[in-house]
Amino acid sequence: MKNSQFRIYLAGDSTVENVLPEQGNKMGWGQVISEFFTDDVLFMNEAKGGRSSKSFIEEGRLNKILEVIKKGDYLFIQFGHNDQKVDEPHRGTDPYTTYQKYLTQYIVEAREKHAIPVLLTSVNRRTFTEDGKLFNGLGEYPEAMRQLALSFQVPLIDLWEKSKQLYEQLGVEGSKRLFAWYELEDPEIPTDNTHFGRYGAREVAKLVVSGIKELQMPFAKYSIDKS
């Protein structure tokens, strides 16, 4: 196998992670994004379900990445879902204080390794209002990340906004197809409007690819059109 010219590390939660087969048909977008690039680009998916910007660090998962990341590598950072769990001290953060503080640690420590941090706002949950518009189920976390990206001049992929547009385009019923519970077609499976099935993971991965192209990242030229 040829050596990849670009290496991208992924830090995130269950919407990004490589989901184990015993967890059903759930998939994170990080599990499938390599399908959209040639082997000149290598994705190392270190995302883990249930983690927040805080717990990912405190469990030593960021350090694991920092031990191997090299000059010119990328670190994609997507957290927010579990940061909302403020009643759980080991995970919860406040958008404009501790959330930004922990995200800053990813940025600073990646740059100390001469790697390139990239922030991604959290992908939306499927939460529609009665008039068919998407309700913001992620509070101030996306905006807090946008502000931090601007402050530190960090590239940002606004996955919150992109997924909002996707869900609303598909509509209340059509957007169900993105999610793992819907693919199972089992009335006994609880509704889960957070975790994707294979189709949804691929559609969200396409959104990430579009963000990479918009930012004109050097490895964007190795993307494969699978529209």
Side-chain angles (χ1 to χ4, degrees):
M1 181 182 295
K2 65 182 291 186
N3 291 326
S4 300
Q5 298 184 48
F6 296 93
R7 302 198 309 171
I8 295 88
Y9 290 85
L10 307 180
D13 54 31
S14 58
T15 63
V16 187
E17 74 170 337
N18 294 335
V19 184
L20 298 173
E22 53 264 33
Q23 293 180 262
N25 69 328
K26 296 178 185 178
M27 284 192 175
W29 63 257
Q31 195 165 354
V32 297
I33 194 168
S34 61
E35 298 176 14
F36 298 92
F37 289 88
T38 68
D39 59 5
D40 293 276
V41 185
L42 180 63
F43 289 88
M44 272 73 64
N45 192 357
E46 300 295 336
K48 187 69 175 175
R51 272 56 182 186
S52 67
S53 63
K54 177 181 181 178
S55 63
F56 194 89
I57 289 174
E58 294 190 343
E59 291 178 6
R61 296 179 184 277
L62 176 58
N63 281 339
K64 179 183 175 183
I65 295 173
L66 295 171
E67 287 171 0
V68 293
I69 201 167
K70 299 182 184 302
K71 181 179 180 179
D73 290 347
Y74 289 78
L75 176 60
F76 279 31
I77 307 149
Q78 184 208 290
F79 292 100
H81 282 192
N82 297 300
D83 287 81
Q84 288 185 294
K85 298 175 180 178
V86 293
D87 57 334
E88 301 178 19
H90 69 289
R91 293 199 285 189
T93 63
D94 173 79
Y96 294 106
T97 57
T98 47
Y99 181 57
Q100 289 186 330
K101 183 191 80 169
Y102 286 111
L103 290 178
T104 298
Q105 186 172 340
Y106 292 83
I107 294 166
V108 170
E109 295 189 358
R111 286 177 169 173
E112 286 176 352
K113 294 287 186 175
H114 304 287
I116 303 158
V118 178
L119 293 172
L120 295 88
T121 53
S122 292
V123 65
N124 265 289
R125 295 185 175 92
R126 181 181 164 275
T127 49
F128 282 92
T129 60
E130 290 183 0
D131 61 356
K133 298 297 183 182
L134 204 68
F135 169 76
N136 177 17
L138 284 159
E140 292 297 311
Y141 293 89
E143 180 58 25
M145 179 179 278
R146 293 185 196 105
Q147 292 185 16
L148 190 71
L150 185 62
S151 176
F152 278 84
Q153 293 297 292
V154 175
L156 174 79
I157 296 175
D158 198 343
L159 201 52
W160 183 92
E161 180 61 34
K162 288 180 178 294
S163 60
K164 177 178 184 291
Q165 294 175 14
L166 173 64
Y167 296 1
E168 290 183 346
Q169 179 183 358
L170 292 172
V172 176
E173 290 301 314
S175 59
K176 289 180 180 179
R177 296 189 296 127
L178 299 169
F179 295 89
W181 67 273
Y182 181 77
E183 287 186 1
L184 293 174
E185 297 183 354
D186 184 344
E188 295 185 3
I189 298 294
T191 300
D192 178 351
N193 290 313
T194 298
H195 299 102
F196 306 112
R198 178 167 180 78
Y199 171 72
R202 292 185 84 256
E203 290 303 301
V204 174
K206 289 179 185 178
L207 300 180
V208 177
V209 174
S210 72
I212 290 168
K213 291 178 178 179
E214 289 162 5
L215 290 169
Q216 299 181 336
M217 293 183 177
F219 58 92
K221 64 182 179 181
Y222 295 111
S223 63
I224 302 170
D225 186 7
K226 290 191 175 184
S227 57

